Amino acid sequence: MESVLEFFKNLWNLLVQLSPSMLTTIEIFLLTLVLSLPLGLLVAVCRMSKWKPLSWLTRIYISIMRGTPLMLQLFVVCYGPYYMFEIPLTGEWPFIAAIIAFAINYAAYFAEIYRGGIESTPLGQYEAAQVLGYSKGQTFFRIVLPQVVKKILPATTNEVITLVKDTSLVYALAIVEMFTRAKMIAAAQTSMLPYLAAGIFYYAFNYLVAFLMERAEKKLGYYQIK
Amino acid sequence: MKLVEIKDLKKSFNGVPVLRNISLTVEEGQTVSVIGPSGGGKSTLLRCATMLEKVDGGSIAYDGKYMVKTDEDGNAVYAPKAELKGICSTFGLVFQNFNLFPHFSVLQNLTDAPIHVLKMPKEEAEAQALELLDKMGLKNRADAYPGELSGGQQQRVSIARALALRPKVLFFDEPTSALDPELTGEILKVIKQLAAEKMTMVIITHEMAFARDVSDHVIFMDGGIIVEEGDPKDVIENPQNARTKEFLSRVQSTI
């Protein structure tokens, strides 16, 4: 009984110890979302452009982002400027580089999700909007996009949950977020317990994400799309 | 007064002519029915008239203003963008499968375009929408979403949505074809009422009795041309052309 109590006490202490670095993890997560969600929409629009060079360029971009490991992209964005142009790696740069790498990587995935949603919008919606006199921009933002958001929510939830777990990759750039910190403590204490604490954090975080996304889905459940 | 004037309209899809020199005039207050077999070019005519398809040649004018005309080289030239917007506000279109906006309530479906396209004040748009819904017998469904309505109700909302922009002429592309026979009646009743109010309308329909009783003019189209046209009673009950006769005998059961 005593040892069980001790175990939970240790675990709690670890969670408290890790909490400052959790903020870094949450920061990476939120910044990536805020940047990649609109960027993804822009990429999707470019990908569907009737102007072939733009469409092909975007296609290549998406293909590279999805076809290579995020870890490799993190290295390229972080160390590329130093090796290629000898720009020194100073203070905040690894963190900024990580955000850039995450944003452009996730934008590629989100773009394909958006594209699926946009392309599945029935032609009749566009035609009705055109005959009613809506401009192209109004048609997209008032008619198409709201329906797309509803359609892509489940697929987006998947990506967002993956993002929560992917934040741990920044340890490769020596950014001290939650997972890096847990690793340090584990090495110092020669214990598995910090990893358990990290696991609990990720699970709780994703549970919250899934809960919020489900709420959003319910909120948009007030209408049906044929 | 001539509200719609279509002259020598030509349209091909991949080299296959679908409309061959169609000419058609609609006077203000007139109800014109277009009948004929599927693939005869009726829908294409309507889609060209509403700019959902670009024409290859000929001209279309609304209220005396050219939406498109053909230059000396035989190219169809559309009016400049700024002018086109005004010309296109002359007409409205009711689709076969409604195409209501599913994420908008019935009321929003009727107010969104007036507010954001015509820049009508919200209060005015809503008052107008409720009036139109009342006319369609749907005042109590203003807060419903399209997905919650029957097909007949959805089509009535879509007619109201078109009317909310106050068009001078309303086109109907087979407005009852997606409906059960028992729901067809409620739509025909609404159109009949509009005809009595002297709304200018062009209706593609397979309802021969309706075309005969409601319209001022009937056009029979087949193979991309107007085969026969004239007084509804004459064309439908006493057709002269062999193709008209054959088509009507096939659909006789609906009269």
Side-chain angles (χ1 to χ4, degrees), chain A residues 67-80:
Chain A
T68 60
L70 176 54
M71 176 91 86
L72 183 107
Q73 293 163 19
L74 281 165
F75 284 141
V76 169
V77 174
C78 187
Y79 302 122

Side-chain angles (χ1 to χ4, degrees), chain B residues 134-151:
Chain B
D134 196 21
K135 197 168 153 184
M136 299 290 155
L138 289 171
K139 199 166 190 175
N140 57 344
R141 302 315 307 269
D143 297 323
Y145 284 83
E148 301 162 8
L149 303 179
S150 73

Side-chain angles (χ1 to χ4, degrees), chain A:
Chain A
M1 190 65 206
E2 197 109 312
S3 62
V4 173
L5 216 65
E6 186 72 7
F7 172 81
F8 280 109
K9 215 180 117 198
N10 282 341
L11 195 59
W12 175 253
N13 284 339
L14 274 167
L15 283 167
V16 171
Q17 220 179 329
L18 287 174
S19 57
S21 50
M22 283 175 193
L23 288 179
T24 313
T25 300
I26 293 168
E27 205 179 345
I28 296 167
F29 170 79
L30 288 178
L31 281 171
T32 303
L33 269 193
V34 166
L35 293 171
S36 62
L37 281 172
L39 186 62
L41 186 57
L42 186 70
V43 173
V45 171
C46 292
R47 167 77 172 77
M48 290 182 290
S49 167
K50 283 192 187 113
W51 191 52
K52 284 280 176 290
L54 183 62
S55 154
W56 272 103
L57 217 65
T58 323
R59 222 182 251 227
I60 293 166
Y61 158 72
I62 293 171
S63 165
I64 291 172
M65 286 298 142
R66 298 205 302 178
T68 60
L70 176 54
M71 176 91 86
L72 183 107
Q73 293 163 19
L74 281 165
F75 284 141
V76 169
V77 174
C78 187
Y79 302 122
Y82 171 72
Y83 285 119
M84 285 188 290
F85 313 108
E86 297 190 5
I87 297 168
L89 298 162
T90 50
E92 281 289 294
W93 173 246
F95 183 79
I96 297 167
I99 298 300
I100 294 172
F102 267 94
I104 59 174
N105 176 280
Y106 270 83
Y109 284 94
F110 286 137
E112 288 297 276
I113 295 177
Y114 281 122
R115 187 169 68 90
I118 293 169
E119 285 180 347
S120 71
T121 304
L123 188 62
Q125 293 287 305
Y126 291 95
E127 292 188 341
Q130 187 192 323
V131 175
L132 290 168
Y134 286 94
S135 68
K136 284 220 166 93
Q138 284 176 322
T139 304
F140 186 71
F141 288 106
R142 299 199 64 75
I143 310 300
V144 178
L145 195 57
Q147 297 180 50
V148 167
V149 169
K150 179 184 164 90
K151 271 186 276 191
I152 68 171
L153 224 46
T156 308
T157 305
N158 262 342
E159 285 306 316
V160 175
I161 283 174
T162 307
L163 172 62
V164 171
K165 294 178 286 184
D166 273 355
T167 53
S168 63
L169 286 174
V170 300
Y171 86 86
L173 301 183
I175 297 167
V176 184
E177 47 67 77
M178 206 269 312
F179 188 68
T180 317
R181 187 100 205 111
K183 239 179 81 171
M184 288 171 173
I185 299 171
Q189 297 183 349
T190 55
S191 156
M192 277 300 284
L193 213 53
Y195 290 126
L196 181 63
I200 289 169
F201 169 76
Y202 285 123
Y203 186 81
F205 195 167
N206 273 327
Y207 194 86
L208 182 70
V209 167
F211 172 76
L212 290 175
M213 294 300 268
E214 214 169 290
R215 281 254 316 241
E217 272 179 54
K218 273 210 185 113
K219 213 165 173 202
L220 289 175
Y222 69 88
Y223 72 91
Q224 307 140 28
I225 299 173
K226 259 189 293 181

Side-chain angles (χ1 to χ4, degrees), chain B residues 152-174:
Chain B
Q153 289 174 328
Q154 288 190 53
Q155 191 59 300
R156 280 184 278 158
V157 173
S158 94
I159 293 172
R161 179 177 71 172
L163 289 172
L165 290 169
R166 300 171 186 172
K168 288 187 175 162
V169 53
L170 196 49
F171 293 104
F172 291 82
D173 188 3
E174 302 194 21

Side-chain angles (χ1 to χ4, degrees), chain B residues 18-103:
Chain B
V18 179
L19 298 177
R20 314 168 197 239
N21 300 315
I22 297 282
S23 295
L24 149 75
T25 308
V26 184
E27 300 280 339
E28 196 170 0
Q30 240 186 352
T31 299
V32 175
S33 290
V34 184
I35 59 170
S38 300
K42 307 181 305 289
S43 278
T44 307
L45 172 66
L46 224 59
R47 292 176 61 81
C48 285
T50 52
M51 283 220 17
L52 292 176
E53 298 287 352
K54 292 227 157 177
V55 307
D56 297 334
S59 67
I60 302 172
Y62 287 100
D63 224 353
K65 291 191 198 97
Y66 280 100
M67 178 175 96
V68 58
K69 57 181 161 186
T70 303
D71 64 11
E72 293 107 47
D73 304 328
N75 298 317
V77 184
Y78 279 85
K81 225 178 176 179
E83 242 175 90
L84 215 48
K85 213 180 159 189
I87 296 167
C88 288
S89 69
T90 317
F91 59 77
L93 172 63
V94 174
F95 295 86
Q96 182 178 342
N97 44 7
F98 335 129
N99 291 334
L100 290 172
F101 302 131
H103 59 305

